[in-house]
Amino acid sequence: MNQASAAIGDPLSESPAVAREELEAVFADIQSHPLYDHELNGCLNCGICTATCPSAHYYDYSPREIVQLLWTENLEGIHDAMQEKIWACAQCYTCAARCPFGNSPGGLVMIMREAAIKHGMESAKEVLRPFSRVMLKVISTGNQLAPNMINAEHFPDWGPHISKVDAPLTVLRKAIPMPTLHTLETAWEVNLKTSLELYVIWEESGVLDQLETMDENLFDVITDIMEEKRDDYDDWLEDQEDEDGDDDD
Amino acid sequence: MDDNHNDQERFTGHGAEWRNAGLNEDQANAATSWVEAKVDRRAMMVNKERVEDVRDIMWQLEKDGEIIVHRVDEQHEPEMVKTLYGWDKKIPTNQLWHHKSCGQCGNIPGYPTSLLWLQNMLGTRYLDETDQTSCTAWNYHGSGIGNVVSLASVFLRNFHQAYVSAKAQGLPEGYYYPLVHCGTSFGNYKEMRGFLLHSAELREQVKKILAKLGRLVDGKLLIPEEIVHYSEWLHVSRQRIKEHQTIDSSNIRATVHPACHVYKMVPEDAIYDDAIMGGNRLAVTTALMQEMGAQVIDYSTWYDCCGFGFRHIISEREFTRSYAIDRKIRVAVEEARADVMIGHDTGCITTLDKNQWIGKAVGKGYELPVMADCQYAALMCGAHPYKIVQLHWHASPFENLMDKLGMDWRAAKQEFETYLGEVEAGRVETLYDPKNAITSGPGFNA
Amino acid sequence: MSKPVLIVGGGPAGLSAAHALASVGQSVVMVEKEDRLGGAPILSGYAKLIPSGEWARDAIGSMVARVEQNALVEARLNCQVNEFSGAPGKFQAQLSDGSKIEAGATILTTGFTHFDSINKPEWGFGTYDDVVTTTQVEQMISTGGGVRCPSDGRKPERVAILLCVGSRDRQIGREWCSKVCCTVSANLAMEIREELPDCHVYIYYMDIRTYGLYEDLYYWKSQEEFRVKYIKARIAEVTSDGQRLIVKGEDTLVKRPITIPFDMVVHAIGMDPNVDNMKLGAIFDVDLESHGHIGRGSNYSALATTSRAGVFVAGAATGPETIDDSISQGQAAAMAALATLNQNIGAA
């Protein structure tokens, strides 16, 4: 029964072994993902995925290894890869474009990342911490990125000037000849109604549950913001009805 | 038979058995002519018995009454192109709904403005509105937050809005056809369309959500006939753009960086053209650059990604900048001696442009202007480098390119600085009537 | 006197069938669309054949001569079958030269089409002159010109042979193994090393399938005697830095991505179904199997059958096949055709 652990277990490791039940539960979630069979057909061990993988150049990461671990159902190896390796993948999908068997190692990595989140793995939490600003932005507005997020403080390696013409950001944004881009808080102006529609998608597709598992604080902040937005929208709807009523008089 | 022919390199293969085959040159040529004739490439291509075309499933599902297809029809004045396996793809050229890119609009706004400017130049009708979200795929690929259901729902919500958007102008449904600006949105939407067409269960889940949003058509999911990237519009419009070109770019050595999510994701949908690099490389952007008269230079890391990495650009920046500099920028400069690198995606342009500055700190001070294909095309047609092409947001030394093109960027910069005064005084010039931007909800005026 | 057997295609399988039939006194009409007999080994100018080591033009050439000199075999060159009807013992064929013939049975030895490397653009063929196919290297050797880089005629110092080009690849809908390329490549590598002893030859493979007796005769020998290097890696892309070809792979042993310069890259191209198979299937009303080759009627009880009685098939028309197996199958098909003729003696 414990063949896998016997084969993979590291006798020198001091970290406590992960319970077999947990390993199985994680793998069960991976395997039952609706895309699992679509992304994994088998493996010829040819290495074309790793050959073309940008992350393999810089990290201890190999898409071929990921595919092999999954295909051979190496539960400990899978769990171990989920602690760090899966986050090295750059998601370019070159591996998927090349695989002669039609696998998508990049897609499998996403399935594993989703599972890491579902199981609230510490590794996932750590990885996501720098992402919280982006997450807040995209979930509450429907826009991933805002002009005022790009500044020398957050991106010191991009140079001292975000714009080569020196002027206040507000003015520079207004000087973009697309009216939808005269914004600071979102990359383009998103209609309130639109943000709320997206929020329904987050609620209904289980994304908010993912978020709650990962970062309860952020979850609370977002739900508060969205409640306010919903109130604002309801107020607007009421005003509309009033106006309609006025028109009828 | 020339006996000396081969004295020095005489085959010893199989010892004394060896005899010269003695084919004369004509015979030898005839024997390999099948290779050299380049056959009819498309006749040898991968047919649909070999690789599945999801659009066939789409038409069947529509026939079965399960979905409705948003067609690219005559009103969109489509152009036909060939994709990787020689299949047809319809690219609409008019009545376009701009599906913007968060990274472009936030980081490199000259990207969409150049595109809209070119469309104004060609008299293309379009709509740029506030009722649209990011595709959320950047976030998903970076963080793992999100799933197939959320991504597919966002896809169909946005495309449904494109379908109904013209109602605000008293025009019929389907009038505008979505044009996707971002490469990742483009790739992600194509993946999602494939998953939706393959899985009845996913369609059921997404349908429930879209019903709640009032985003079904006759109670059915609306699926686009084609998912179209702006670079494809640019590709089929390149000859018309060329007619407006005012600046000679024949002395420019350009390298093209093709975007992974544009041509490696759902690769069978990417455009290839026998006349462009023998049909062996992605046609978009390269064809445009050649049309603009630039020399497109090949380089050994053409296939490599940019290093963006989705989460890496935010939290693994050492990877991103090392990859961008070592595998792309350095190679383009040293090997191809490039004057510019041209891309067609949000993340790539950002990565390749913004990460050059830090290179100086480690003795890798390569200087290579980086911009999008539409920005380059707009420049060639006389668009203002700052007011329209918005190059001041670029960190890379676009000034070097402008010098080589004989363009006075200092004067242009001064004009722009003067214009900023106008802007501060509230006199803002825009590419279209701002009231078109809101089609419903708060702020809408019918 | 029975009607002749119609043989479509004058390659090794067809030549073998024709010879077998003629040797027992059965007349044959052989229709060949090219201007000469011999099939792929002659038309594509193969060098030395496996396993005999004989030059293709000698080995296959003698088969051609044997058939050409036999009065019972009538060869129609530059000719194709346009229409085909009837039943066993009484088939009628309308040929492209305007003539009609009657046949008691038919054997399809229509062969294969070399995979066109242009369909795999990321491996550089069509983009870089020095990316060539195994067939082109065979040509360089069989013409006596020697192995040279097409770009400038220099002798390559480093050659990479990529296996499975157009084989075992779902990306392009070619899932089959082409069966011969591993052995052909091992043989080619030895020939390159013989001619250019200073040249390093690397073979990049997914699996080596030098089955049967070819294991030591080719795979081992190429290493032991010719120092050919085998690396288990499927190459991702072939590009150029303007000087040399750049090959990107994974060394699966050390599990690291590698980038290696080469002077010449050789595609070990696979065997596609004959490009005309759709047409042939319709004309002869025979089913194709799922990959697009001509389908076999039975694997055990009756050899060489198709889905249509009296129409037989042999050689690479049925799937990737070696030359010697094609020759064997030609004989089996001849036997099956004879049986049909015997059963239908006197058919109008």
Side-chain angles (χ1 to χ4, degrees):
Chain A
M1 215 38 245
N2 57 0
Q3 283 168 333
S5 43
I8 299 299
D10 176 0
L12 299 176
S13 170
E14 288 181 11
S15 60
V18 182
R20 184 79 190 167
E21 294 70 35
E22 173 67 5
L23 297 179
E24 283 172 358
V26 169
F27 183 63
D29 279 324
I30 293 171
Q31 206 172 23
S32 63
H33 191 283
L35 296 184
Y36 187 73
D37 289 338
H38 182 275
E39 312 290 53
L40 182 58
N41 301 304
C43 180
L44 305 172
N45 245 318
C46 70
I48 200 169
C49 49
T50 299
T52 193
C53 174
S55 296
H57 283 272
Y58 288 81
Y59 297 97
D60 177 17
Y61 170 74
S62 157
R64 182 170 63 85
E65 184 188 1
I66 299 290
V67 171
Q68 278 295 314
L69 290 171
L70 292 169
W71 185 247
T72 57
E73 304 190 7
N74 181 333
L75 303 193
E76 286 208 352
I78 290 167
H79 195 273
D80 182 54
M82 289 169 79
Q83 304 318 305
E84 199 173 330
K85 286 182 179 172
I86 57 167
W87 299 100
C89 166
Q91 287 291 297
C92 65
Y93 283 73
T94 314
C95 49
R98 298 278 178 262
C99 175
F101 217 147
N103 297 328
S104 174
L108 291 169
V109 162
M110 283 317 303
I111 292 173
M112 292 167 86
R113 287 183 182 177
E114 282 185 44
I117 286 166
K118 185 173 172 191
H119 287 265
M121 285 186 186
E122 212 39 56
S123 61
K125 288 183 182 169
E126 206 169 296
V127 154
L128 293 186
R129 220 155 278 143
F131 236 80
S132 58
R133 265 184 345 138
V134 170
M135 211 85 75
L136 171 66
K137 193 57 81 177
V138 74
I139 294 181
S140 66
T141 69
N143 226 230
Q144 163 102 28
L145 188 131
N148 62 10
M149 288 161 77
I150 314 287
N151 52 52
E153 189 191 321
H154 285 113
F155 292 87
D157 49 347
W158 285 8
H161 308 295
I162 290 305
S163 163
K164 285 183 183 171
V165 172
D166 190 27
L169 189 59
T170 337
V171 177
L172 287 170
R173 290 296 293 184
K174 279 233 160 58
I176 299 168
M178 280 168 71
T180 49
L181 302 196
H182 296 170
T183 48
L184 294 178
E185 298 290 333
T186 47
W188 66 78
E189 188 187 335
V190 183
N191 199 291
L192 177 59
K193 175 174 152 283
T194 314
S195 302
L196 292 175
E197 277 187 47
L198 181 65
Y199 194 63
V200 172
I201 295 177
W202 298 132
E203 285 178 321
E204 296 293 317
S205 60
V207 170
L208 287 184
D209 302 335
Q210 287 182 314
L211 187 67
E212 195 176 9
T213 314
M214 279 293 102
D215 189 337
E216 219 166 320
N217 278 340
L218 185 60
F219 173 79
D220 290 343
V221 171
I222 287 176
T223 45
D224 284 352
I225 293 176
M226 293 318 288
E227 235 152 80
E228 257 175 59
K229 283 198 177 187
R230 277 187 167 150
D231 289 346
D232 289 348
Y233 188 62
D234 288 342
D235 291 347
W236 178 80
L237 283 176
E238 269 172 40
D239 290 349
Q240 292 299 103
E241 274 168 34
D242 291 350
E243 271 178 41
D244 288 349
D246 293 344
D247 291 347
D248 290 345
D249 284 343
Chain B
M1 185 73 230
D2 176 8
D3 285 328
N4 301 323
H5 173 76
N6 195 23
D7 271 357
Q8 308 207 309
E9 297 305 331
R10 194 178 142 74
F11 299 114
T12 54
H14 305 277
E17 257 180 276
W18 184 82
R19 273 174 295 153
N20 194 320
L23 290 185
N24 66 34
E25 206 176 319
D26 285 347
Q27 287 170 318
N29 286 342
T32 44
S33 59
W34 68 271
V35 182
E36 280 137 18
K38 289 259 160 98
V39 230
D40 173 7
R41 173 165 196 259
R42 299 299 164 192
M44 292 282 287
M45 291 306 299
V46 180
N47 59 38
K48 293 184 182 181
E49 275 85 41
R50 297 240 166 97
V51 175
E52 173 190 87
D53 182 347
V54 290
R55 292 172 301 185
D56 295 337
I57 305 176
M58 174 181 76
W59 295 122
Q60 189 55 45
L61 285 174
E62 191 185 46
K63 225 185 254 172
D64 298 344
E66 249 213 72
I67 60 166
I68 288 186
V69 176
H70 184 181
R71 286 172 165 66
V72 181
D73 52 30
E74 283 314 303
Q75 61 176 330
H76 305 115
E77 298 167 23
E79 299 263 1
M80 292 299 254
V81 292
K82 293 284 185 196
T83 56
L84 178 61
Y85 299 140
W87 306 346
D88 288 323
K89 182 174 183 178
K90 254 188 226 173
I91 308 296
T93 67
N94 203 4
Q95 296 173 203
L96 302 167
W97 187 83
H98 285 291
H99 191 336
K100 296 183 290 290
S101 151
C102 41
Q104 287 173 20
C105 293
N107 251 337
I108 26 175
Y111 202 140
T113 55
S114 296
L115 181 61
L116 266 61
W117 185 86
L118 287 168
Q119 295 194 341
N120 282 354
M121 181 182 84
L122 298 180
T124 310
R125 282 187 296 283
Y126 61 77
L127 179 65
D128 169 35
E129 66 155 319
T130 61
D131 191 353
Q132 60 180 274
T133 71
S134 299
C135 65
T136 73
W138 178 358
N139 180 61
Y140 175 69
H141 288 294
S143 71
I145 300 279
N147 53 51
V148 194
V149 177
S150 72
L151 290 165
S153 301
V154 169
F155 160 42
L156 293 191
R157 194 220 80 89
N158 282 332
F159 274 54
H160 177 273
Q161 175 54 28
Y163 184 73
V164 300
S165 59
K167 282 201 294 196
Q169 301 169 351
L171 294 164
E173 289 181 339
Y175 180 87
Y176 287 114
Y177 200 87
L179 185 70
V180 181
H181 289 196
C182 174
T184 286
S185 302
F186 176 62
N188 165 66
Y189 285 156
K190 290 200 286 191
E191 277 214 311
M192 290 307 137
R193 184 175 68 163
F195 295 152
L196 280 161
L197 293 171
H198 278 123
S199 165
E201 195 186 329
L202 180 60
R203 287 198 295 276
E204 207 45 51
Q205 289 169 303
V206 171
K207 202 164 159 183
K208 258 186 227 152
I209 296 176
L210 291 200
K212 213 165 182 178
L213 301 179
R215 294 278 182 190
L216 297 174
V217 178
D218 297 338
K220 298 171 187 175
L221 293 176
L222 179 79
I223 305 279
E225 178 181 354
E226 304 284 8
I227 295 169
V228 185
H229 191 230
Y230 85 88
S231 68
E232 300 179 318
W233 173 85
L234 207 55
H235 179 72
V236 299
S237 305
R238 66 192 190 277
Q239 281 100 355
R240 286 197 296 152
I241 292 170
K242 166 94 179 163
E243 289 168 19
H244 297 264
Q245 185 172 3
T246 54
I247 291 168
D248 176 23
S249 88
S250 58
N251 64 335
I252 299 302
R253 294 173 64 88
T255 41
V256 168
H257 169 70
C260 297
H261 286 195
V262 168
Y263 80 111
K264 291 174 186 164
M265 245 180 183
V266 195
E268 66 270 26
D269 188 65
I271 300 177
Y272 288 74
D273 181 331
D274 281 349
I276 308 304
M277 298 184 116
N280 296 318
R281 297 279 178 83
L282 181 72
V284 302
T285 304
T286 292
L288 175 84
M289 292 305 290
Q290 289 177 342
E291 195 73 39
M292 297 285 103
Q295 311 159 41
V296 179
I297 313 292
D298 190 19
Y299 59 105
S300 61
T301 54
W302 188 91
Y303 287 103
D304 280 25
C305 88
C306 62
F308 180 70
F310 301 85
R311 60 174 288 267
H312 300 64
I313 185 87
I314 292 168
S315 52
E316 295 277 322
R317 296 234 282 277
E318 179 57 37
F319 166 81
T320 294
R321 59 181 178 240
S322 301
Y323 202 86
I325 295 175
D326 292 341
R327 304 275 311 181
K328 299 299 290 199
I329 302 296
R330 181 189 63 75
V331 180
V333 169
E334 290 185 348
E335 195 180 289
R337 291 180 289 115
D339 298 310
V340 66
M341 182 171 270
I342 301 290
H344 49 230
D345 178 39
T346 314
C348 321
I349 307 272
T350 307
T351 301
L352 297 168
D353 176 70
K354 302 283 188 191
N355 283 296
Q356 289 182 41
W357 183 84
I358 190 71
K360 276 179 259 176
V362 288
K364 294 176 182 172
Y366 303 106
E367 295 208 322
L368 183 65
V370 174
M371 65 183 72
D373 46 7
C374 56
Q375 289 180 294
Y376 190 87
L379 274 182
M380 290 304 105
C381 296
H384 195 283
Y386 293 84
K387 267 172 90 171
I388 300 297
V389 188
Q390 299 270 318
L391 284 171
H392 47 286
W393 300 99
H394 292 234
S396 60
F398 62 87
E399 297 88 348
N400 299 353
L401 175 74
M402 313 242 315
D403 284 340
K404 191 157 182 189
L405 285 164
M407 298 170 79
D408 187 351
W409 58 270
R410 288 174 190 84
K413 189 175 180 187
Q414 233 161 38
E415 284 163 16
F416 182 65
E417 280 163 347
T418 310
Y419 171 65
L420 288 181
E422 297 285 307
V423 171
E424 272 183 284
R427 286 184 293 276
V428 174
E429 293 170 32
T430 57
L431 288 162
Y432 59 84
D433 184 347
K435 79 170 192 290
N436 290 344
I438 301 178
T439 56
S440 72
F444 176 57
N445 291 308
Chain C
M1 175 84 194
S2 66
K3 293 175 185 131
V5 172
L6 171 64
I7 297 179
V8 185
L15 293 169
S16 154
H19 172 70
L21 288 165
S23 66
V24 295
Q26 172 60 45
S27 64
V28 169
V29 175
M30 174 173 276
V31 172
E32 165 59 49
K33 70 174 177 185
E34 301 296 337
D35 64 356
R36 72 195 73 182
L37 299 179
I42 294 299
L43 294 167
S44 296
Y46 290 178
K48 287 172 205 146
L49 300 185
I50 292 163
S52 67
E54 285 178 66
W55 288 94
R57 76 187 294 263
D58 299 336
I60 306 301
S62 70
M63 289 180 75
V64 170
R66 193 169 65 176
V67 160
E68 279 174 344
Q69 286 156 20
N70 196 316
L72 284 171
V73 182
E74 183 196 345
R76 307 269 188 102
L77 302 177
N78 298 309
C79 187
Q80 298 182 53
V81 176
N82 286 347
E83 286 168 41
F84 185 79
S85 61
K90 46 181 179 179
F91 288 117
Q92 292 96 42
Q94 169 80 52
L95 306 185
S96 61
D97 61 10
S99 66
K100 273 188 188 158
I101 61 162
E102 297 211 315
T106 293
I107 302 173
L108 302 176
T109 48
T110 44
F112 68 102
T113 298
H114 284 102
F115 175 74
D116 186 352
S117 277
I118 208 112
N119 290 312
K120 206 63 193 168
E122 64 266 27
W123 284 335
F125 182 84
T127 302
Y128 306 109
D129 288 344
D130 295 339
V131 179
V132 297
T133 67
T134 36
T135 309
Q136 285 175 302
V137 178
E138 295 255 355
Q139 268 293 301
M140 295 178 191
I141 295 167
S142 69
T143 56
V147 178
R148 299 290 179 274
C149 294
S151 63
D152 59 2
R154 75 180 187 280
K155 295 175 201 165
E157 287 166 16
R158 297 171 56 79
V159 173
I161 301 178
L162 317 188
L163 297 186
C164 298
V165 176
S167 306
R168 306 178 68 197
D169 191 349
R170 180 170 277 147
Q171 294 288 347
I172 46 171
R174 283 148 172 99
E175 293 87 353
W176 57 85
C177 165
S178 291
K179 208 167 168 180
V180 304
C181 338
C182 286
T183 314
V184 165
S185 298
N187 189 40
L188 209 56
M190 291 192 279
E191 291 180 323
I192 295 171
R193 289 275 297 150
E194 254 178 349
E195 190 218 340
L196 306 172
D198 295 331
C199 179
H200 298 269
V201 181
Y202 290 79
I203 293 183
Y204 291 91
Y205 69 97
M206 294 206 284
D207 300 284
I208 291 292
R209 295 180 171 175
T210 46
Y211 56 90
L213 304 183
Y214 302 154
E215 179 73 12
D216 63 326
L217 294 179
Y218 291 90
Y219 187 22
W220 292 13
K221 184 179 173 191
S222 66
Q223 298 188 57
E224 288 175 330
E225 289 182 31
F226 291 87
R227 301 291 155 198
V228 174
K229 283 94 133 175
Y230 287 79
I231 298 181
K232 180 164 166 50
R234 193 170 172 91
I235 295 307
E237 291 122 19
V238 178
T239 57
S240 168
D241 63 3
Q243 313 290 320
R244 287 175 133 188
L245 297 168
I246 303 293
V247 166
K248 211 158 91 175
E250 182 204 358
D251 189 324
T252 52
L253 188 68
V254 296
K255 296 203 233 170
R256 296 309 302 166
I258 43 173
T259 302
I260 323 114
F262 280 99
D263 298 304
M264 180 185 274
V265 170
V266 183
H267 288 188
I269 48 170
M271 295 166 82
D272 259 16
N274 189 325
V275 278
D276 292 331
N277 272 1
M278 294 289 273
K279 204 172 89 188
L280 290 168
I283 290 172
F284 291 97
D285 192 24
V286 293
D287 293 342
L288 304 183
E289 55 82 58
S290 64
H291 303 92
H293 303 94
I294 293 173
R296 294 175 201 262
S298 162
N299 285 314
Y300 308 107
S301 57
L303 286 182
T305 53
T306 64
S307 60
R308 181 172 184 177
V311 177
F312 303 96
V313 63
T318 63
E321 203 48 275
T322 63
I323 291 171
D324 23 341
D325 284 347
S326 295
I327 291 169
S328 312
Q329 290 174 19
Q331 295 227 13
M335 190 66 201
L338 273 181
T340 295
L341 296 181
N342 282 337
Q343 285 155 17
N344 292 283
I345 282 173

